[in-house]
Amino acid sequence: MKMIVAPLLRIFFRPWMEGAENIPEEGAAIIASNHLSFSDSFFLPALMKRRVTFIAKAEYFNTPGVKGKLTAAFFKGVGQLPVDRSGVRGAGEAAIRSAVAVIERGELFGVYPEGTRSPDGKLYRGKVGGLARVALATGAPVIPVAMIDTEKVQPPGQVVPNFGIRPGIRIGRPLDFSRYQGMENDRFILRSVTDEVMYEIMRLSGQEYVDIYATAAKRQIADDKKRTDADRKAAQKAEQAALKAEKAEAEKAAAEQAAAEQAAAEQAEAEKAAAGQAGPEAARQQKADDEKDSGQA
């Protein structure tokens, strides 16, 4: 599958790579990369000369449909290992044991220290589990990697990638943490190792660093979106209510105006009718007065 995907990626996207000489031709190492896009899981393993085994979400292997089958076939073809992230007890330890086994075979193990894709292109705090614990348990060097512009190729939530954008991979020099080997249960050492790797990734990628976990940032962004949507709906509702009240007021004013005009018309008609009745009566009275005056004369 890699023999098929890699040439297609080169043809359609022309990805570039810097620092390929920092990947050892043989021997174990840990590839630690930032995670900007779903497409990272295609570009990184497909363009590496050596096979890189990542721990991938189990959903990528059992998603139904044609796309799901193709994705599963690719991940299996490049050696990805499924891991259950649903919170099943012991799943994290099983993933670490699988990673250690990869290293012990002298292969490359890949990990995204942030634990999930960046929601906004920034670099977030690294998680200590999959990276530092494996590094300290095995003594394998950690090679920092920066994915560049892959979030522009395939932004979060977008299925069809954008063509015409040239992504890149920038590979840093190996980091040696063998001085801490066997201290994988010391949480302060785990945090120090993870932060050092994240600093190197930040330096390579040029991303803004945010010292919170990406999962927390996603929740915050989602909450902000909910509040924004709620505020927008409330504003729309208030605007609709105002327009409805304005319309009702206009209709009321128009009805009052029409009633006033009707009353004025009726009054004018009544006055006209009264004037019409008073005219003959006045003429008769004038005639009677004239006759009376003639008789007296």
Side-chain angles (χ1 to χ4, degrees):
M1 179 61 71
K2 179 177 178 179
M3 299 299 293
I4 298 175
V5 174
L8 292 176
L9 292 177
R10 289 190 174 93
I11 290 172
F12 289 107
F13 297 100
R14 299 184 300 114
W16 53 267
M17 180 182 288
E18 293 179 1
E21 67 278 4
N22 292 319
I23 302 295
E25 295 184 0
E26 58 182 21
I30 299 172
I31 307 297
S33 172
N34 59 339
H35 199 8
L36 295 172
S37 167
F38 175 73
S39 62
D40 295 336
S41 298
F42 285 84
F43 283 106
L44 187 52
L47 298 180
M48 289 281 188
K49 290 183 179 180
R50 293 182 61 187
R51 172 170 166 165
V52 183
T53 299
F54 278 83
I55 299 294
K57 291 192 296 184
E59 301 94 282
Y60 292 156
F61 294 83
N62 52 31
T63 301
V66 175
K67 180 189 174 185
K69 291 180 179 179
L70 291 174
T71 301
F74 172 77
F75 283 160
K76 290 176 182 177
V78 295
Q80 310 307 291
L81 299 176
V83 61
D84 190 342
R85 291 189 180 181
S86 61
V88 177
R89 187 179 181 84
E93 291 297 326
I96 290 174
R97 287 196 299 270
S98 297
V100 171
V102 172
I103 296 297
E104 289 177 344
R105 292 196 299 266
E107 300 174 1
L108 299 179
F109 171 68
V111 62
Y112 298 117
E114 293 168 279
T116 186
R117 280 169 280 176
S118 170
D120 53 10
K122 298 176 183 178
L123 184 68
Y124 287 90
R125 193 180 195 195
K127 294 186 174 182
V128 299
L131 169 62
R133 287 186 62 187
V134 174
L136 300 189
T138 62
V142 178
I143 302 175
V145 172
M147 304 300 297
I148 309 295
D149 289 339
T150 52
E151 82 283 8
K152 297 176 182 177
V153 173
Q154 191 176 25
Q158 182 172 313
V159 177
V160 179
N162 298 318
F163 297 95
I165 296 172
R166 193 181 181 196
I169 301 175
R170 186 173 289 128
I171 304 169
R173 294 180 179 179
L175 303 174
D176 181 14
F177 297 107
S178 60
R179 62 191 181 279
Y180 299 128
Q181 189 170 358
M183 303 176 68
E184 62 271 16
N185 294 321
D186 187 323
R187 61 189 182 93
F188 295 105
I189 295 296
L190 293 175
R191 171 49 56 194
S192 177
V193 169
T194 304
D195 288 346
E196 184 174 339
V197 174
M198 298 308 295
Y199 175 81
E200 288 301 315
I201 294 175
M202 179 187 69
R203 188 180 62 81
L204 292 168
S205 67
Q207 291 171 274
E208 177 184 347
Y209 180 77
V210 183
D211 196 24
I212 62 172
Y213 292 119
T215 49
K218 285 184 176 182
R219 287 194 299 269
Q220 183 177 330
I221 291 172
D223 290 343
D224 290 344
K225 185 178 184 302
K226 287 181 181 178
R227 282 193 293 270
T228 300
D229 291 344
D231 291 343
R232 185 177 66 253
K233 288 179 181 179
Q236 290 175 346
K237 188 175 181 180
E239 184 179 358
Q240 290 172 355
L243 290 174
K244 186 176 180 180
E246 184 179 345
K247 181 180 179 181
E249 188 67 26
E251 290 176 348
K252 180 181 178 181
E256 291 176 349
Q257 179 67 25
E261 291 176 355
Q262 179 67 23
E266 291 176 354
Q267 172 106 18
E269 189 66 27
E271 291 176 352
K272 182 179 179 181
Q277 293 176 355
E281 181 63 29
R284 285 195 297 272
Q285 183 63 39
Q286 183 65 41
K287 184 178 179 180
D289 291 342
D290 291 343
E291 292 176 349
K292 182 178 179 180
D293 292 339
S294 297
Q296 290 175 352

